[in-house]
Every structure is written in structure tokens, then in C-alpha cells.
Amino acid sequence: MVNETRKIQSVERAMYLLEQIALAGGQARLGWLAEQTGLNKATLHGLLNTLAALGYISREGAAYTLGLRLRDLTLPLSDADERLRSRFRPLMAQLHALSGENVYLAAPCGTREYRYLEVLGDDSRHNSPSPRGRREGLTTSAMGKVFLAEIEEMARSLRRAGKLSAALGAELAEIRRQGYALDLGEAEEGWFAFAVALRDNGRTVAGISVAGRADALPHARLVALAEASLRLIWAAESETAGADAHQAV
């Protein structure tokens, strides 16, 4: 069991290292990685040498860079991300026109996090795949909570970790009932948002969110926009179902 735990920890550390190098622009020095990860240099050397041997990173002078092997792994994901972007861009545009606020498209990332795919708006902080510079947690943001409410594997993973409180469980039940989640400054002070799930054949594949300063999105307006977004999604789904039925005939 101890051996198994160490293997799992090594995998987590290796993945985290790759993420940190990516966040640094694809290149990072050993000292910086040690500061970011809290790992000693001997452990880091071992992990980096293993990743380098497998082609996931390479050494350029005193720096470590992302390796070409990653390109082979990420191409199918890039195609999948682009399909989601293309499919939901019209909805993003509608919500941006309706709200005048920033609109975000995100997808689940593992069972405890999610990542942003695209943003439509003028918030320069939110123009990266992950607006806050990292994969996002689930329990405070509207986007995270809507994924927790809609994807049982995510809720189960959080429950097993002892992080799904009774209060959060009740909130998730309410989100499922009403169809949207709210964030009233929980993830970021003074920043309000709502999020709704986006589905493909009944399966939640992404989420869409509108967010802005609290004074521009007071609670009543936030709820009205959330309900309007549900109507837009239902209309789009009905149109798609009608087109599919027509093609079948």
C-alpha cells in the first residue's frame, strides 16, 4: 500500500511539474520549479530526468522545456476543444450581447477541477485557457458548482475526499432544480457570476458563465440573465433536435 501511494504521488508531482513549466511559458529553471512546487532539488532531478527520458520535457542549457512528445498527446484534445468552441460560440455571442459582460466557456478537467477554453469580453485577466492562471477549483465558483451538480463523478470524488459538506450538498440539489449556479463573490470578492451546463446527448460536456463586477450584475439581474440563458439553450437544443428529426425523415 505504501508503494502504491508513492507511485500515485509521483504521478501527481510529475503532472504538476508539467503544468508549472507550461504556466512559465514552456520553459523553467530548476530553482524556480523548486520554489513553485516545494520539492527538494534531488526529488525534482529524479522527476525531470524521468520526464526527459520519456520525451515529455527536454533540457536546454540551465532550463527545462516542454517536450515534443506532449504534442502527440494533445492534438486530439485540441481538436475536441475546438469542436466545443465552435459549437458554443453562437451562444457565447448571444449572452455577451444580452449581458454586456464577460462570457466564459469551460470544460471539466479531471474529477476535481475544470479549465477555461475561451472568453468573450474585455477582461484582460481572463484571456488564457485558465483565467486565474491555474486549473480552477470546484466549490466556490459558479462554473465549478454547476459541474459538481451535473457530473456525479465529480461530486463523488469530492465526497470521498471529505470536502462535500451538507451545506454544499443542499446547494448542489438546488442548482439541479433551478438549472444554474450563482457565485456572489465567493471565488473573487466583488465579482458576481452565474453558470449553466452545456450538454451533448444528455451528457454535460462544458459550462458557460457570465461574470462581472457586482455593481453591474446585482443578484436580481444575475438571476434574470441565468434564466434567459436557459431559454436560449433550450431553444438551440429544440432547433437541433428538429433538424435531426428532419434529416432522419
Side-chain angles (χ1 to χ4, degrees), residues 37-140:
T37 63
L39 298 174
N40 63 58
K41 291 186 178 181
T43 300
L44 270 178
H45 269 300
L47 290 168
L48 291 166
N49 287 340
T50 300
L51 289 169
L54 295 170
Y56 295 117
I57 64 168
S58 60
R59 182 82 178 267
E60 292 186 8
Y64 293 89
T65 65
L66 295 178
L68 294 177
R69 177 67 177 142
L70 289 171
R71 183 177 297 167
D72 297 332
L73 297 181
T74 57
L75 277 175
L77 293 178
S78 297
D79 293 343
D81 284 357
E82 185 52 40
R83 283 195 295 272
L84 287 175
R85 292 188 191 100
S86 297
R87 178 173 177 179
F88 295 117
R89 273 183 187 129
L91 178 60
M92 292 181 73
Q94 286 178 298
L95 287 177
H96 182 58
L98 187 65
S99 67
E101 302 293 340
N102 298 300
V103 182
Y104 306 95
L105 180 68
C109 183
T111 59
R112 295 190 189 175
E113 296 172 315
Y114 65 93
R115 63 186 294 273
Y116 286 92
L117 303 178
E118 191 161 10
V119 56
L120 180 59
D122 58 6
D123 186 353
S124 60
R125 295 173 306 162
H126 290 66
N127 284 325
S128 67
S130 181
R132 295 182 182 89
R134 63 183 188 278
R135 292 186 297 173
E136 295 293 297
L138 297 174
T139 59
T140 56

Side-chain angles (χ1 to χ4, degrees), residues 6 35 93 127:
R6 284 176 180 167
E35 290 176 7
N127 284 325

Side-chain angles (χ1 to χ4, degrees), residues 158-170:
L158 212 62
R159 192 178 297 112
R160 286 173 177 167
K163 296 180 180 179
L164 187 59
S165 66
L168 180 57

